[in-house]
Amino acid sequence: MLTPIKAKLAQVLAPEMGITAQRVAELFEIPKDLDHGHLAVPVFSLAKERKKAPPQIAKEISEKLLTLKIEGVANVVPVAGYVNFHLDERVLFRSLYSEVQRQGEKLAWGQTGAGQTVIIDYSSPNVAKPMHVGHLRATVIGQAIRNLAETQGYKVIGLNHLGDWGVQFGKLAYAYEKWGSEYDFKKEPFESLFKLYVRFHSEAEKDPELDKQGSLVFKRLEQGDAGLTELWRKFVDISMADFDRQWKRLGVKHDLVRGESFYNDRLRATEDLIQKKGLLVESEGAMVVNLDDEKMPPCLIRKGDGASLYATRDIASALYRFEELKADLALYVVGNDQALHFKQVFSVLKRMGFSWFSKCHHISFGMYRFKDDGTGAGKMSSRKGQIIRLEDLLNRAIEIVRELMSEKNAELRASDLASFNKISEQVAIGAIVFNDLINDRVRDVEFDWQKALSFEGDSGPYVQYVSVRCRSVLAKYAVTTKAALPEVGELNALESPEERNLMKTLMQYEMVLAQSFRIFKPSTLAGYLLDVCTAFNQFYHHHKILVGEPALIKSRIALVYITQSVIISGLRVLNIEAPEKM
Ligand code: ARG
């Protein structure tokens, strides 16, 4: 947003600063204090080359720009090492409003990524294991980054690197043959599969012979045994049906499923390539790449018994992403417990001579820790079946929200149960997603039900509620005046501090989207939406929007409209729905 004026300023500044307009646009900042202007550009980077102090450079550029009399710019002032722009607030207001109307769903989208493909690996659960809260993070952070990439003009491929291969499938097949008939695969296929998985591991603790048997069965599977392959397929299908159900609830979608098994017939070639580069060495019977010089343990490429490994499949998969799918950027949204794994894989790629290794990023995140939840401490193992399942977490959230809303929205519940249920679900899921995304992803999250589901605090429901409030103000305006939205030409600058501050906050949206993607942190956008809500509430509590001069009301209505558009658009990028009522 604000694109026309920003684009123009960037163009004018480019020759003055000796850099491209695109680069100038990336440098724009918003001064903290509105008295210092609406936009600022730092010139520190020019100091060395020009052999001048930044304040002097800022002064010279400001003076030059003032003589140009740029339309929409009221003043240009040097402030320390910055060139600050005071915009004409009426022009600013009108341009924001018309941009919002023109851009619709693609509000404030940019073109930085045009012509480039980004592949985002996210959610990627493991067959036979229910998705747990760790996958919640991998799912919602991944989907939000995916949406952010789209706002920057990238072609995006959302990839599911499904965990569908490895020795556990030998174990599972062994367990199925031995105890499968004791479970009801017709009625509850996925539960039965998971129970088998848990059972195998608990029995194997007592009898290590089972692990050996499992490995042998896996070997037969790797060699292409037809019956085992069919069974394996069944396990994958059962699991995918369950995952699809969860993704649907969260509104998450992949473009491509490329499970680990997809790389089976590429592993030989991958290994040969590593070998050709002279990187493969034998170590205790296994084949590894030594990473001593980077103070990392060796990257295991093939086990002594010939079985392939997670890392090998990731190396083959990176080759596929860059060489075949022609990625320009590959993001792996995976927990920080796999940090070493990705460091090793990326380092092997570097040693293999692929310059694109630097375009691989592990987008890591911390774990959930549960308050008042005895079972939740630390990271839980799915082997013993004690995990907090994603599904249970969502169900519990919906239950609590339904309860809360039964009091607040008793009327809606009585008159329209279907929409009451839909809204409760939008609010509950929105709350869980926002509660995740508001945290800087690299940190662990202390999960607190009260905080997540609060309607007042820094929560998803709070943001949703502000959008509903905007909606109802606009609806009331439409009913009382029988008028459509104001025309751009009817708007005048609003003068109260609350209105000016809200406007200033709204005009940042475009920059927030760009920044949020640049650092791969949806928390930047989530935090910004809270700022918008705070600024809106200050405005709302200080001014009676629908009372006063008709011309003033029109301008205020336009401001509410911009606010609503930014909030709904921002929520959409975070993959959160905005309910119509609350
Ligand atoms: N399946 C893995 C897990 O659930 C995540 C896979 C991440 N992606 C990758 N390319 N290794 O822990």
Side-chain angles (χ1 to χ4, degrees), residues 2 5 52 91 129 150 169 247 300 330 333 396 407 441 456 504 518:
L2 194 59
I5 181 89
K52 278 184 194 166
V91 175
K129 296 188 227 171
E150 253 156 13
F169 292 95
W247 287 322
L300 241 66
V333 185
R396 189 157 158 203
E407 289 163 35
R441 60 175 165 74
E456 272 104 46
K504 174 192 150 168
R518 203 175 301 135

Side-chain angles (χ1 to χ4, degrees), residues 99 133 152 233 253 257 379 436 451 455 476 529:
E99 285 300 296
V133 292
Q152 300 309 299
R233 242 299 105 226
K253 251 187 136 148
V257 183
K379 212 197 146 191
D436 188 302
K451 205 172 130 211
F455 280 47
K476 207 158 160 198
L529 290 180

